[in-house]
Every structure is written in C-alpha cells, then in structure tokens.
Amino acid sequence: MSENKEIEIMQSVYDKNDKVAAKIQASLTESGIFAVNVMGAPGAGKTTTLIQLIKRLEEVTAYVIEGDIEADFDTKTLQSLGVKAIQINTGGACHLDSPLIGQAVEELHISDGVLFIENIGNLVCPAEFMIGEHAKMLISTVTEGSDKPYKYPLAFEKADLILLNKCDLLPYVDFDEDFFMKGVRALNKTAPVIRVSGKTGEGYEKAAEWIMEKRKKQQ
C-alpha cells in the first residue's frame, strides 16, 4: 500500500501576492493614482487601446507599466509618444505579480493620474492575480471568435470593463455578438461592454469617460 503524501497547495502564494497588492493599491490611492490592469490575448490590441485612451485622458497624466515575456517594442512606441512608460520582462512567466509591480511603481515616481498596467498577453493567468489595481479592463476582439467567455470564464468574470475591439471588422468575420454577450452576462452582470476599434477610434471616448468617472469616485 502506498503511503499518503502531503501536497502543498498554492493558497500561500496567492495570500502573499494579495497582501503586497493591497499595499500597492493603498499607496497608489494615497498618491492620487487610479490603476487599471489591462488584460487580453496576444494581438487583442492592448497597446493600441492604451494609445487611443491616453489621447482622450487630457485632464490627467497617464503612466504605463508594460508587461511582456520578452522585448520592449510597445514601451518604446509609448515613450516615443511622450508617455512615461516602463518595461517589465518576465522571461517566461505568463502573468505579472504584485512584487514586480511594486518595484516598477517605485521606479516610475508617479502621482496624480492614471496608471495602466498592460499584463502579459494571456486570457488565463493574469485574471488570477491581483497586482494593486483598482479596476480590471479586459480587451476581447471579434477576430478571436464569440466563444471566448465560455472558454476563458475567469477573465470575463473578473473584468470591471470589457472592450470588444476590432469592431470595424464585424462585416468580414463570423462573430455572433448575441452568443458572446450571453456568455459575458452569465459570468458578469455589471461590467460595461463597449464596442471599440483601434483603427477608427470608435468607442474609446466612452471608455475614457468610464475610467475618469471611476477615478473621481476613488478620490
């Protein structure tokens, strides 16, 4: 008969991460920063969305922490546009965690504004970890298919704002919006779902207004 073996669960890992995240969030709040955890699959248009949103957040300063496994193309693009941005490369990890964000926040020296944290391109792990944010913004696209809420429920369940990107391509792709929305609402009754297009700029004004409204309520 085989011996019983004790298996260590991951709860302690989450607990440590969440405690650090809570401290980061409190510090950001005290500094007048509203932090947004930006989630989405690779190619969903996360950086394009940030560019579109920052253009519309004229009343406040926007900062960006860019998360990638490797490379810094998006950070350089943002910096070329005058955005104060810093790069985190995880070297293989599929999500950002709160200790990484805490270090990046210290290096950015930010106050009074909006901090966008672009997470690793992934619809699974980023939704599992708090990183000090005040809100989670999920970017999904019509080109990914309408089944994503059913296949990756946690990301949609945790989102405070959902942007349905690349809507300019709706006439050309097989996307069942009713099916998509049924899946979203089965998981999340309250998050606004806003149609956007990184190419045309459609919908980003409304998304920027949502962010500013949430920021004002935080102050």
Side-chain angles (χ1 to χ4, degrees), residues 23-49:
K23 290 180 181 179
I24 294 170
Q25 187 189 76
S27 176
L28 291 173
T29 301
E30 187 176 349
S31 300
I33 293 289
F34 182 73
V36 182
N37 183 355
V38 183
M39 305 184 301
K46 295 185 292 298
T47 304
T48 300
T49 288

PDB file of all heavy atoms in Angstrom, residues 23-49:
ATOM      1  N   LYS A  23      -1.204  46.599  -0.402  1.00  0.00           N
ATOM      2  CA  LYS A  23      -0.335  47.709  -0.011  1.00  0.00           C
ATOM      3  C   LYS A  23      -0.070  48.636  -1.193  1.00  0.00           C
ATOM      4  O   LYS A  23      -0.058  49.864  -1.046  1.00  0.00           O
ATOM      5  CB  LYS A  23       0.985  47.169   0.542  1.00  0.00           C
ATOM      6  CG  LYS A  23       0.861  46.473   1.898  1.00  0.00           C
ATOM      7  CD  LYS A  23       2.213  45.977   2.380  1.00  0.00           C
ATOM      8  CE  LYS A  23       2.084  45.262   3.722  1.00  0.00           C
ATOM      9  NZ  LYS A  23       3.394  44.743   4.193  1.00  0.00           N
ATOM     10  N   ILE A  24       0.147  48.038  -2.373  1.00  0.00           N
ATOM     11  CA  ILE A  24       0.370  48.849  -3.573  1.00  0.00           C
ATOM     12  C   ILE A  24      -0.869  49.690  -3.881  1.00  0.00           C
ATOM     13  O   ILE A  24      -0.769  50.891  -4.171  1.00  0.00           O
ATOM     14  CB  ILE A  24       0.715  47.953  -4.778  1.00  0.00           C
ATOM     15  CG1 ILE A  24       2.065  47.270  -4.569  1.00  0.00           C
ATOM     16  CG2 ILE A  24       0.722  48.763  -6.075  1.00  0.00           C
ATOM     17  CD1 ILE A  24       2.365  46.183  -5.590  1.00  0.00           C
ATOM     18  N   GLN A  25      -2.018  49.064  -3.820  1.00  0.00           N
ATOM     19  CA  GLN A  25      -3.257  49.790  -4.123  1.00  0.00           C
ATOM     20  C   GLN A  25      -3.457  50.948  -3.163  1.00  0.00           C
ATOM     21  O   GLN A  25      -3.823  52.064  -3.574  1.00  0.00           O
ATOM     22  CB  GLN A  25      -4.458  48.845  -4.051  1.00  0.00           C
ATOM     23  CG  GLN A  25      -5.760  49.496  -4.517  1.00  0.00           C
ATOM     24  CD  GLN A  25      -6.963  48.628  -4.233  1.00  0.00           C
ATOM     25  OE1 GLN A  25      -7.414  48.540  -3.086  1.00  0.00           O
ATOM     26  NE2 GLN A  25      -7.481  47.990  -5.260  1.00  0.00           N
ATOM     27  N   ALA A  26      -3.230  50.721  -1.872  1.00  0.00           N
ATOM     28  CA  ALA A  26      -3.392  51.785  -0.875  1.00  0.00           C
ATOM     29  C   ALA A  26      -2.422  52.930  -1.144  1.00  0.00           C
ATOM     30  O   ALA A  26      -2.786  54.112  -1.054  1.00  0.00           O
ATOM     31  CB  ALA A  26      -3.177  51.218   0.522  1.00  0.00           C
ATOM     32  N   SER A  27      -1.175  52.587  -1.504  1.00  0.00           N
ATOM     33  CA  SER A  27      -0.176  53.612  -1.795  1.00  0.00           C
ATOM     34  C   SER A  27      -0.546  54.417  -3.034  1.00  0.00           C
ATOM     35  O   SER A  27      -0.410  55.650  -3.063  1.00  0.00           O
ATOM     36  CB  SER A  27       1.190  52.946  -1.983  1.00  0.00           C
ATOM     37  OG  SER A  27       2.170  53.894  -2.352  1.00  0.00           O
ATOM     38  N   LEU A  28      -1.032  53.726  -4.071  1.00  0.00           N
ATOM     39  CA  LEU A  28      -1.444  54.418  -5.292  1.00  0.00           C
ATOM     40  C   LEU A  28      -2.630  55.338  -5.026  1.00  0.00           C
ATOM     41  O   LEU A  28      -2.678  56.469  -5.528  1.00  0.00           O
ATOM     42  CB  LEU A  28      -1.793  53.397  -6.376  1.00  0.00           C
ATOM     43  CG  LEU A  28      -0.631  52.588  -6.961  1.00  0.00           C
ATOM     44  CD1 LEU A  28      -1.145  51.499  -7.886  1.00  0.00           C
ATOM     45  CD2 LEU A  28       0.354  53.485  -7.686  1.00  0.00           C
ATOM     46  N   THR A  29      -3.580  54.867  -4.243  1.00  0.00           N
ATOM     47  CA  THR A  29      -4.744  55.681  -3.905  1.00  0.00           C
ATOM     48  C   THR A  29      -4.317  56.953  -3.182  1.00  0.00           C
ATOM     49  O   THR A  29      -4.783  58.059  -3.489  1.00  0.00           O
ATOM     50  CB  THR A  29      -5.716  54.880  -3.020  1.00  0.00           C
ATOM     51  OG1 THR A  29      -6.134  53.706  -3.722  1.00  0.00           O
ATOM     52  CG2 THR A  29      -6.946  55.713  -2.674  1.00  0.00           C
ATOM     53  N   GLU A  30      -3.408  56.789  -2.231  1.00  0.00           N
ATOM     54  CA  GLU A  30      -2.904  57.936  -1.476  1.00  0.00           C
ATOM     55  C   GLU A  30      -2.181  58.923  -2.381  1.00  0.00           C
ATOM     56  O   GLU A  30      -2.202  60.134  -2.140  1.00  0.00           O
ATOM     57  CB  GLU A  30      -1.955  57.447  -0.377  1.00  0.00           C
ATOM     58  CG  GLU A  30      -1.495  58.527   0.582  1.00  0.00           C
ATOM     59  CD  GLU A  30      -0.631  57.992   1.702  1.00  0.00           C
ATOM     60  OE1 GLU A  30      -0.550  56.756   1.863  1.00  0.00           O
ATOM     61  OE2 GLU A  30      -0.021  58.809   2.425  1.00  0.00           O
ATOM     62  N   SER A  31      -1.560  58.425  -3.444  1.00  0.00           N
ATOM     63  CA  SER A  31      -0.825  59.282  -4.382  1.00  0.00           C
ATOM     64  C   SER A  31      -1.711  59.851  -5.482  1.00  0.00           C
ATOM     65  O   SER A  31      -1.215  60.529  -6.396  1.00  0.00           O
ATOM     66  CB  SER A  31       0.320  58.487  -5.025  1.00  0.00           C
ATOM     67  OG  SER A  31       1.223  58.018  -4.049  1.00  0.00           O
ATOM     68  N   GLY A  32      -3.010  59.556  -5.428  1.00  0.00           N
ATOM     69  CA  GLY A  32      -3.931  60.084  -6.436  1.00  0.00           C
ATOM     70  C   GLY A  32      -3.889  59.348  -7.752  1.00  0.00           C
ATOM     71  O   GLY A  32      -4.244  59.889  -8.801  1.00  0.00           O
ATOM     72  N   ILE A  33      -3.455  58.086  -7.700  1.00  0.00           N
ATOM     73  CA  ILE A  33      -3.347  57.276  -8.914  1.00  0.00           C
ATOM     74  C   ILE A  33      -4.480  56.257  -8.984  1.00  0.00           C
ATOM     75  O   ILE A  33      -4.742  55.537  -8.018  1.00  0.00           O
ATOM     76  CB  ILE A  33      -2.003  56.517  -8.958  1.00  0.00           C
ATOM     77  CG1 ILE A  33      -0.839  57.497  -9.102  1.00  0.00           C
ATOM     78  CG2 ILE A  33      -1.978  55.491 -10.083  1.00  0.00           C
ATOM     79  CD1 ILE A  33      -0.749  58.166 -10.457  1.00  0.00           C
ATOM     80  N   PHE A  34      -5.140  56.198 -10.124  1.00  0.00           N
ATOM     81  CA  PHE A  34      -6.135  55.162 -10.414  1.00  0.00           C
ATOM     82  C   PHE A  34      -5.473  54.156 -11.337  1.00  0.00           C
ATOM     83  O   PHE A  34      -5.039  54.500 -12.441  1.00  0.00           O
ATOM     84  CB  PHE A  34      -7.375  55.758 -11.076  1.00  0.00           C
ATOM     85  CG  PHE A  34      -8.464  54.752 -11.355  1.00  0.00           C
ATOM     86  CD1 PHE A  34      -9.223  54.228 -10.332  1.00  0.00           C
ATOM     87  CD2 PHE A  34      -8.714  54.335 -12.660  1.00  0.00           C
ATOM     88  CE1 PHE A  34     -10.230  53.305 -10.581  1.00  0.00           C
ATOM     89  CE2 PHE A  34      -9.720  53.413 -12.919  1.00  0.00           C
ATOM     90  CZ  PHE A  34     -10.480  52.905 -11.878  1.00  0.00           C
ATOM     91  N   ALA A  35      -5.354  52.904 -10.883  1.00  0.00           N
ATOM     92  CA  ALA A  35      -4.606  51.883 -11.631  1.00  0.00           C
ATOM     93  C   ALA A  35      -5.542  50.914 -12.333  1.00  0.00           C
ATOM     94  O   ALA A  35      -6.503  50.420 -11.739  1.00  0.00           O
ATOM     95  CB  ALA A  35      -3.679  51.122 -10.687  1.00  0.00           C
ATOM     96  N   VAL A  36      -5.237  50.628 -13.591  1.00  0.00           N
ATOM     97  CA  VAL A  36      -6.049  49.740 -14.419  1.00  0.00           C
ATOM     98  C   VAL A  36      -5.187  48.570 -14.897  1.00  0.00           C
ATOM     99  O   VAL A  36      -4.155  48.775 -15.549  1.00  0.00           O
ATOM    100  CB  VAL A  36      -6.629  50.477 -15.644  1.00  0.00           C
ATOM    101  CG1 VAL A  36      -7.521  49.543 -16.457  1.00  0.00           C
ATOM    102  CG2 VAL A  36      -7.411  51.719 -15.209  1.00  0.00           C
ATOM    103  N   ASN A  37      -5.608  47.363 -14.570  1.00  0.00           N
ATOM    104  CA  ASN A  37      -4.952  46.144 -15.025  1.00  0.00           C
ATOM    105  C   ASN A  37      -5.530  45.786 -16.395  1.00  0.00           C
ATOM    106  O   ASN A  37      -6.703  45.427 -16.514  1.00  0.00           O
ATOM    107  CB  ASN A  37      -5.207  45.020 -14.012  1.00  0.00           C
ATOM    108  CG  ASN A  37      -4.495  43.727 -14.354  1.00  0.00           C
ATOM    109  OD1 ASN A  37      -3.862  43.601 -15.388  1.00  0.00           O
ATOM    110  ND2 ASN A  37      -4.631  42.743 -13.483  1.00  0.00           N
ATOM    111  N   VAL A  38      -4.715  45.898 -17.434  1.00  0.00           N
ATOM    112  CA  VAL A  38      -5.178  45.700 -18.812  1.00  0.00           C
ATOM    113  C   VAL A  38      -4.884  44.263 -19.234  1.00  0.00           C
ATOM    114  O   VAL A  38      -3.732  43.860 -19.357  1.00  0.00           O
ATOM    115  CB  VAL A  38      -4.495  46.690 -19.774  1.00  0.00           C
ATOM    116  CG1 VAL A  38      -5.042  46.525 -21.185  1.00  0.00           C
ATOM    117  CG2 VAL A  38      -4.675  48.121 -19.283  1.00  0.00           C
ATOM    118  N   MET A  39      -5.949  43.507 -19.490  1.00  0.00           N
ATOM    119  CA  MET A  39      -5.804  42.095 -19.827  1.00  0.00           C
ATOM    120  C   MET A  39      -6.323  41.826 -21.243  1.00  0.00           C
ATOM    121  O   MET A  39      -7.198  42.524 -21.740  1.00  0.00           O
ATOM    122  CB  MET A  39      -6.586  41.233 -18.830  1.00  0.00           C
ATOM    123  CG  MET A  39      -6.236  41.465 -17.375  1.00  0.00           C
ATOM    124  SD  MET A  39      -7.118  40.331 -16.249  1.00  0.00           S
ATOM    125  CE  MET A  39      -8.839  40.727 -16.629  1.00  0.00           C
ATOM    126  N   GLY A  40      -5.795  40.786 -21.858  1.00  0.00           N
ATOM    127  CA  GLY A  40      -6.248  40.395 -23.188  1.00  0.00           C
ATOM    128  C   GLY A  40      -5.266  39.429 -23.817  1.00  0.00           C
ATOM    129  O   GLY A  40      -4.107  39.329 -23.402  1.00  0.00           O
ATOM    130  N   ALA A  41      -5.723  38.718 -24.819  1.00  0.00           N
ATOM    131  CA  ALA A  41      -4.878  37.756 -25.526  1.00  0.00           C
ATOM    132  C   ALA A  41      -3.825  38.479 -26.360  1.00  0.00           C
ATOM    133  O   ALA A  41      -3.963  39.677 -26.647  1.00  0.00           O
ATOM    134  CB  ALA A  41      -5.741  36.872 -26.421  1.00  0.00           C
ATOM    135  N   PRO A  42      -2.773  37.782 -26.776  1.00  0.00           N
ATOM    136  CA  PRO A  42      -1.817  38.394 -27.709  1.00  0.00           C
ATOM    137  C   PRO A  42      -2.534  38.869 -28.972  1.00  0.00           C
ATOM    138  O   PRO A  42      -3.352  38.154 -29.537  1.00  0.00           O
ATOM    139  CB  PRO A  42      -0.853  37.241 -28.024  1.00  0.00           C
ATOM    140  CG  PRO A  42      -0.950  36.317 -26.861  1.00  0.00           C
ATOM    141  CD  PRO A  42      -2.381  36.395 -26.414  1.00  0.00           C
ATOM    142  N   GLY A  43      -2.245  40.091 -29.377  1.00  0.00           N
ATOM    143  CA  GLY A  43      -2.855  40.623 -30.590  1.00  0.00           C
ATOM    144  C   GLY A  43      -4.242  41.201 -30.402  1.00  0.00           C
ATOM    145  O   GLY A  43      -4.888  41.598 -31.380  1.00  0.00           O
ATOM    146  N   ALA A  44      -4.701  41.292 -29.152  1.00  0.00           N
ATOM    147  CA  ALA A  44      -6.041  41.843 -28.908  1.00  0.00           C
ATOM    148  C   ALA A  44      -6.090  43.353 -29.090  1.00  0.00           C
ATOM    149  O   ALA A  44      -7.172  43.935 -29.207  1.00  0.00           O
ATOM    150  CB  ALA A  44      -6.511  41.480 -27.497  1.00  0.00           C
ATOM    151  N   GLY A  45      -4.919  43.975 -29.114  1.00  0.00           N
ATOM    152  CA  GLY A  45      -4.882  45.426 -29.283  1.00  0.00           C
ATOM    153  C   GLY A  45      -4.739  46.172 -27.975  1.00  0.00           C
ATOM    154  O   GLY A  45      -5.261  47.283 -27.833  1.00  0.00           O
ATOM    155  N   LYS A  46      -4.003  45.607 -27.034  1.00  0.00           N
ATOM    156  CA  LYS A  46      -3.866  46.240 -25.716  1.00  0.00           C
ATOM    157  C   LYS A  46      -3.108  47.568 -25.813  1.00  0.00           C
ATOM    158  O   LYS A  46      -3.562  48.581 -25.286  1.00  0.00           O
ATOM    159  CB  LYS A  46      -3.165  45.287 -24.745  1.00  0.00           C
ATOM    160  CG  LYS A  46      -3.978  44.021 -24.440  1.00  0.00           C
ATOM    161  CD  LYS A  46      -3.323  43.148 -23.378  1.00  0.00           C
ATOM    162  CE  LYS A  46      -2.036  42.501 -23.842  1.00  0.00           C
ATOM    163  NZ  LYS A  46      -2.230  41.583 -25.010  1.00  0.00           N
ATOM    164  N   THR A  47      -1.962  47.554 -26.479  1.00  0.00           N
ATOM    165  CA  THR A  47      -1.175  48.785 -26.577  1.00  0.00           C
ATOM    166  C   THR A  47      -1.884  49.818 -27.443  1.00  0.00           C
ATOM    167  O   THR A  47      -1.888  51.011 -27.117  1.00  0.00           O
ATOM    168  CB  THR A  47       0.225  48.485 -27.151  1.00  0.00           C
ATOM    169  OG1 THR A  47       0.859  47.488 -26.343  1.00  0.00           O
ATOM    170  CG2 THR A  47       1.082  49.743 -27.146  1.00  0.00           C
ATOM    171  N   THR A  48      -2.485  49.397 -28.535  1.00  0.00           N
ATOM    172  CA  THR A  48      -3.262  50.318 -29.370  1.00  0.00           C
ATOM    173  C   THR A  48      -4.388  50.951 -28.569  1.00  0.00           C
ATOM    174  O   THR A  48      -4.661  52.155 -28.690  1.00  0.00           O
ATOM    175  CB  THR A  48      -3.848  49.580 -30.586  1.00  0.00           C
ATOM    176  OG1 THR A  48      -2.777  49.042 -31.363  1.00  0.00           O
ATOM    177  CG2 THR A  48      -4.680  50.516 -31.450  1.00  0.00           C
ATOM    178  N   THR A  49      -5.028  50.157 -27.728  1.00  0.00           N
ATOM    179  CA  THR A  49      -6.088  50.677 -26.866  1.00  0.00           C
ATOM    180  C   THR A  49      -5.542  51.719 -25.902  1.00  0.00           C
ATOM    181  O   THR A  49      -6.168  52.768 -25.680  1.00  0.00           O
ATOM    182  CB  THR A  49      -6.750  49.526 -26.089  1.00  0.00           C
ATOM    183  OG1 THR A  49      -7.551  48.760 -26.992  1.00  0.00           O
ATOM    184  CG2 THR A  49      -7.635  50.039 -24.965  1.00  0.00           C
TER     185      THR A  49
END
